[in-house]
Amino acid sequence: MRKYKTQMEAAKKGIITREMEIVAKKEKLDPNFIMRKVAKGEVAIPCNIMHTSISPEGIGDGLKTKINVNLGVSGDCNNYENEMKKVDLALKFHAEAIMDLSNYGKTNSFRSKLIKKSTAMIGTVPMYDAIGYLEKDLLDIKAKDFLEVVRAHAKEGVDFMTIHAGINKRAVEAFKREKRTMNIVSRGGSLLFAWMEMTGQENPFYEYYDELLDILREYDVTISLGDALRPGCLDDSSDAGQISELIELGTLAQRAWEKDVQVLIEGPGHMAMNEIAANMKIEKRICHNAPFYVLGPLVTDIAPGYDHITAAIGGAIAAANGANFLCYVTPAEHLRLPDLADVKEGIIASKIAAHAADISKGIKGEADKDIEMAKARHKLDWNEMFDIAIDGEKAREYFESTPPKDRHSCSMCGKMCAVRTTNRILAGKKVEFDVVTADCE
């Protein structure tokens, strides 16, 4: 029988849990360091007691930057078999989290299979599932009905849930005054805003926040406090709506910690590069160093089809300046439900951003693979390079697509390869070339 309900309660009692030990081993850190960080709320270990297949991960300051992969069906694309293939991709490339954002039909059967299979932590947005689960139109849903959906997801084994509790009436007033270019771009936030405006009532997740926390505590579900008012374009970034909601999230984080519920804070969104560092510092200050989970940020609005790149640029800057958890973005962002190729591109771009940021932060062991790659390149050992690469299959495919005559170089430089030339000279050998005289017409 556990002497604690949640990881945070255990940490406050000075108990190092099995999950903390696993995280410490992965991070090459002392378990006591992890325990102290969890107790303060600066590290979260999302790990539902019902998710038995999980390999626990820590999210927060001093740890490696983690990435999340979004998937799930919609009304236009409802092939669950295809979504499970995306799960396989996410696990293959070591994504630490998968969010099921399904918003069509009865989603629990897919989610149950996902939770049973996945070693990665699983997240959801219960608001997306409310209409299908409750079989009611939005206007007909009662305030406490939303808590039923939260409980259902918790029972299934969901490790963290995005709950847009910060978009209360005060935050809505700030949003309306601002007269944004893009208004609300959060799907869950827009649904709550619509429900509040149609019913005239307060946000049910804010009004019944204590009851919500009791449900999450029972299953040790981490609350990911959603940014309903995140900017959806550069013109709306860092405005009164975004910041007023962030202030609410800081208070809600403290209330969750008082009940031993772990917390993530969600952040922007779209944002120019010169604003990113300041936004990371503001979140850490206002939200008491809670782990920060960011979507992008996307650093330009004019690259549809390439938004995995705009997000990776922003994500690397964000993580280097304090963000702890990156939500991947695919080339299909803003355009369609991503296919398998899109998902892979999004995962790799996000992994690159996270790794680059961790090197800049001096995270223990993160530069080791880069040193290994440099040594393999020095030896011109292609197979070793492919083994070390984030996506060795793609690297090998590129190399083999135009094979060089000399395997000790690539087809771009051939025998003029700088590494080959220098290695031969330092080894006391001559550098010679096959001189070819071409006829010019």
Side-chain angles (χ1 to χ4, degrees):
M1 184 70 178
R2 292 196 344 175
K3 296 179 181 178
Y4 55 88
K5 273 282 189 182
T6 71
Q7 295 294 322
M8 177 167 259
E9 183 185 356
K12 288 178 180 178
K13 290 179 176 179
I15 299 170
I16 295 176
T17 66
R18 170 183 165 274
E19 291 78 11
M20 293 176 200
E21 289 177 343
I22 292 171
V23 169
K25 186 176 181 180
K26 288 181 177 181
E27 302 284 345
K28 301 177 183 177
L29 295 169
D30 186 336
N32 284 287
F33 172 84
I34 302 297
M35 180 189 69
R36 290 192 296 271
K37 286 284 190 177
V38 172
K40 293 171 68 177
E42 294 178 0
V43 163
I45 305 176
C47 193
N48 188 315
I49 59 173
M50 305 298 287
H51 188 180
T52 56
S53 64
I54 193 172
S55 178
E57 296 283 354
I59 303 169
D61 292 346
L63 310 187
K64 289 180 282 190
T65 305
K66 308 306 187 296
I67 76 159
N68 171 70
V69 170
N70 288 340
L71 46 82
V73 301
S74 67
D76 291 314
C77 300
N78 50 33
N79 185 334
Y80 282 112
E81 184 179 340
N82 203 46
E83 295 310 296
M84 198 56 78
K85 290 178 182 177
K86 295 177 185 178
V87 173
D88 293 335
L89 264 180
L91 297 177
K92 175 182 177 180
F93 288 105
H94 309 294
E96 291 85 5
I98 297 170
M99 289 197 78
D100 174 22
L101 304 186
S102 297
N103 63 356
Y104 175 80
K106 293 294 183 183
T107 61
N108 62 309
S109 58
F110 169 72
R111 193 159 46 251
S112 296
K113 290 177 184 176
L114 171 61
I115 292 167
K116 185 176 180 180
K117 176 177 185 172
S118 179
T119 53
M121 55 188 136
I122 301 300
T124 59
V125 186
M127 190 66 198
Y128 293 179
D129 197 28
I131 293 170
Y133 177 84
L134 297 168
E135 297 182 330
K136 294 180 180 179
D137 203 359
L138 184 61
L139 185 58
D140 298 325
I141 298 176
K142 304 302 179 187
K144 288 199 174 184
D145 288 347
F146 292 109
L147 299 186
E148 287 184 33
V149 189
V150 172
R151 182 173 290 279
H153 284 214
K155 280 184 176 180
E156 289 168 8
V158 171
D159 302 296
F160 66 101
M161 295 185 202
T162 293
I163 306 289
H164 298 93
I167 183 171
N168 57 20
K169 288 187 174 181
R170 285 193 299 271
V172 167
E173 287 174 7
F175 155 68
K176 286 181 174 179
R177 285 195 304 270
E178 198 69 18
K179 300 190 184 303
R180 283 180 160 188
T181 300
M182 278 289 294
N183 289 324
I184 296 175
V185 298
S186 160
R187 190 193 313 170
S190 68
L191 292 171
L192 272 171
F193 171 72
W195 186 88
M196 292 167 67
E197 292 292 296
M198 290 190 297
T199 63
Q201 297 180 45
E202 180 58 278
N203 179 347
F205 294 124
Y206 180 80
E207 185 174 2
Y208 298 102
Y209 190 62
D210 286 326
E211 293 180 41
L212 167 69
L213 293 176
D214 290 338
I215 296 169
L216 301 182
R217 184 178 189 276
E218 184 178 348
Y219 296 90
D220 198 1
V221 177
T222 298
I223 187 168
S224 189
L225 288 165
D227 52 339
L229 297 177
R230 68 174 178 267
C233 65
L234 267 59
D235 197 43
D236 293 339
S237 64
S238 307
D239 69 356
Q242 177 196 332
I243 302 303
S244 65
E245 183 183 35
L246 189 64
I247 292 168
E248 299 291 347
L249 298 187
T251 301
L252 293 172
Q254 289 182 308
R255 288 175 60 185
W257 289 334
E258 287 169 4
K259 286 186 174 258
D260 299 328
V261 173
Q262 299 181 99
V263 174
L264 304 173
I265 304 290
E266 297 189 14
H270 291 234
M271 184 168 288
M273 289 194 297
N274 61 304
E275 293 183 38
I276 295 173
N279 268 264
M280 301 306 108
K281 289 178 174 58
I282 289 170
E283 183 276 341
K284 290 294 179 179
R285 179 69 181 88
I286 291 176
C287 297
H288 321 287
N289 292 319
F292 202 16
Y293 176 25
V294 296
L295 177 68
L298 280 69
V299 295
T300 179
D301 298 331
I302 62 168
Y306 298 91
D307 277 327
H308 60 309
I309 297 173
T310 67
I313 293 168
I317 296 170
N321 285 280
N324 312 106
F325 192 19
L326 304 181
C327 186
Y328 92 150
V329 172
T330 78
E333 184 79 5
H334 302 112
L335 302 171
R336 67 170 190 196
L337 192 77
D339 63 17
L340 286 169
D342 296 327
V343 168
K344 181 182 175 182
E345 290 294 313
I347 292 170
I348 298 300
S350 193
K351 292 290 282 188
I352 292 168
H355 179 64
D358 288 346
I359 291 172
S360 77
K361 290 190 288 189
I363 297 295
K364 189 174 182 179
E366 278 302 283
D368 292 353
K369 285 283 186 183
D370 296 78
I371 295 170
E372 289 177 28
M373 179 63 86
K375 289 178 178 178
R377 283 176 170 159
H378 171 76
K379 295 183 295 182
L380 290 168
D381 187 330
W382 297 101
N383 288 329
E384 188 174 348
M385 290 184 224
F386 301 146
D387 288 341
I388 295 166
I390 289 177
D391 184 2
E393 292 175 6
K394 184 173 184 178
R396 184 183 295 276
E397 181 183 317
Y398 269 65
F399 179 77
E400 298 290 357
S401 65
T402 311
K405 292 179 182 178
D406 183 350
R407 295 288 294 189
H408 294 291
S409 63
C410 74
S411 58
M412 180 172 181
C413 297
K415 286 189 176 181
M416 287 191 181
C417 170
V419 176
R420 178 182 182 275
T421 297
T422 307
N423 285 350
R424 289 184 69 83
I425 292 297
L426 291 175
K429 299 177 181 179
K430 291 182 178 179
V431 175
E432 297 176 326
F433 303 99
D434 297 325
V435 180
V436 178
T437 303
D439 295 327
C440 298
E441 296 181 0

